[in-house]
Amino acid sequence: MHSEFAWIESIAPDMMGVITKRYQILQFISWMAPVGRRNLAEQMKVSERVLRTETEFLRKQGLIESSKSGMVLTSKGIETFQGLEQLMNQLLGVKDDEKRLADKLGIAHCLIVNGDADQSSRVMDEMGKLLNQTLQVVLPAGRSTVAVMGGTTMARVATQLNYKLSAGRELTFVPARGGVGEAVSIQANSVAAAMAEATDSNYRVLYIPENVSAKTYQPLLREPAVQEVLQMIDNAQVVIHSIGDALIMAKRRSMPVSTIRELVNHRAVSETFGTFFDAEGQVIYKIPRIGLQIPDLDHIPYVFAVAGGRSKAKAIAAYMKNAPAHTWLITDVGASTAILTGETR
């Protein structure tokens, strides 16, 4: 199939560009509808003049329609967009890139969605949908405990899970770690609750902040309710987490200035599970935390990392030097292209 695309591109290179551009317009409209031309042009990083020409063509073809609220796909447009999705993944080399990226990162599976989460938050929704679809396929029937991390990506992903995931399964969502001291809506407890609600499943909470002294949390660990949840976390069959930019995460957690200076001096680029890494994957700093540690992931059958956007490429590449080999990475074209072209060095 790819050789045929190469032949077509050699004789009509403009055709491939036109197809790709119009497909991406349909894609963005499907994500953002109803959307005005100016907003769409800003999201796609193209001029309004270019976009006006293309959207007028798509309107004449009956693929989109406009109103005072903005542009939306028609039923024909939805059918066309969905029908083209697999072809466009081949045309854009997504499937090949998934294999190349998995090989480069040394992990079992990479799944890539089109777009760049830095340019449109809707790309995160697509990653969430892909996670939901993948979980439906790979998770066994019966009981499973799913440990989840917090953060903005995870909170967004939670909105894309649905009740189909619990068909034939009894799922219990638990926070993978103690609290971070950030907005309640993006804490691991809240994410676990949101995922449970979306999938019509159960959840448990862990009422322990992550950054308290050992003297403070030792008595809490003796509480039966806390011990029960920690036991569930230790025996989880599934872990879902994201990967953060080191300095952004440090500031979000209001870490001491001296610690942030240490991270800067040692060029930390990545953070996950409270561990900060430099670009080579070397551990720079660790926050003592209650719950899962990175070595614990080795014995958990299903590990999913969800992170996208070109700005996350360095963080993803650095963490993957420490990730278990059976990790599934769900990312986007923005991050994958940057990693594959060596922009993370």
Side-chain angles (χ1 to χ4, degrees), residues 46-246:
V46 299
S47 70
E48 280 193 68
R49 181 181 61 81
V50 169
L51 189 63
R52 184 183 301 112
T53 301
E54 296 298 340
T55 53
E56 181 60 20
F57 173 85
L58 295 173
R59 187 188 64 78
K60 288 179 178 178
Q61 295 298 112
L63 302 177
I64 66 173
E65 57 187 15
S66 302
S67 68
K68 290 182 179 179
S69 300
M71 294 177 287
V72 298
L73 298 186
T74 62
S75 57
K76 180 182 177 182
I78 294 171
E79 183 180 359
T80 301
F81 169 64
Q82 293 177 343
L84 281 172
E85 194 163 21
Q86 184 175 356
L87 174 66
M88 291 307 297
N89 280 340
Q90 291 178 314
L91 177 59
L92 298 173
V94 169
K95 294 304 176 187
D96 282 350
D97 284 351
E98 288 176 344
K99 179 66 168 61
R100 289 174 58 214
L101 187 61
D103 290 343
K104 187 177 182 72
L105 297 177
I107 57 175
H109 306 279
C110 287
L111 302 175
I112 303 172
V113 303
N114 283 314
D116 186 329
D118 291 344
Q119 297 179 3
S120 173
S121 59
R122 297 292 179 133
V123 177
M124 285 190 190
D125 293 339
E126 296 303 306
M127 290 191 289
K129 290 175 184 175
L130 184 54
L131 172 66
N132 189 72
Q133 293 166 5
T134 306
L135 289 171
Q136 285 183 49
V137 172
V138 303
L139 289 194
R143 293 184 179 180
S144 289
T145 298
V146 184
V148 300
M149 294 292 283
T152 53
T153 297
M154 295 301 297
R156 187 78 183 231
V157 163
T159 66
Q160 299 305 314
L161 303 190
N162 62 49
Y163 69 93
K164 293 179 181 178
L165 186 56
S166 60
R169 302 183 180 96
E170 185 180 336
L171 303 177
T172 301
F173 290 86
V174 295
R177 304 295 302 263
V180 173
E182 57 193 359
V184 173
S185 62
I186 62 173
Q187 288 190 14
N189 278 331
S190 300
V191 172
M195 288 186 171
E197 183 177 359
T199 59
D200 193 23
S201 302
N202 304 310
Y203 73 94
R204 299 294 301 273
V205 296
L206 182 64
Y207 292 114
I208 297 183
E210 68 160 3
N211 51 356
V212 296
S213 67
K215 183 178 179 180
T216 300
Y217 72 66
Q218 283 301 328
L220 294 173
L221 294 180
R222 291 193 288 271
E223 290 293 324
V226 172
Q227 287 183 341
E228 183 183 356
V229 176
L230 289 176
Q231 187 68 34
M232 294 178 72
I233 294 170
D234 287 342
N235 294 321
Q237 291 78 43
V238 187
V239 171
I240 307 172
H241 69 93
S242 188
I243 302 164
D245 177 283

Side-chain angles (χ1 to χ4, degrees), residues 264-318:
V264 171
N265 290 341
H266 288 86
R267 299 181 180 179
V269 299
S270 180
E271 184 276 338
T272 192
F273 293 95
T275 303
F276 293 78
F277 306 96
D278 65 15
E280 301 305 315
Q282 298 297 314
V283 175
I284 301 301
Y285 185 82
K286 259 186 174 182
I287 301 174
R289 297 172 72 179
I290 297 169
L292 289 178
Q293 308 281 341
I294 292 173
D296 298 329
L297 303 181
D298 289 337
H299 72 263
I300 294 175
Y302 303 98
V303 179
F304 293 87
V306 185
R310 183 176 292 268
S311 63
K312 284 276 188 82
K314 285 186 179 180
I316 294 169

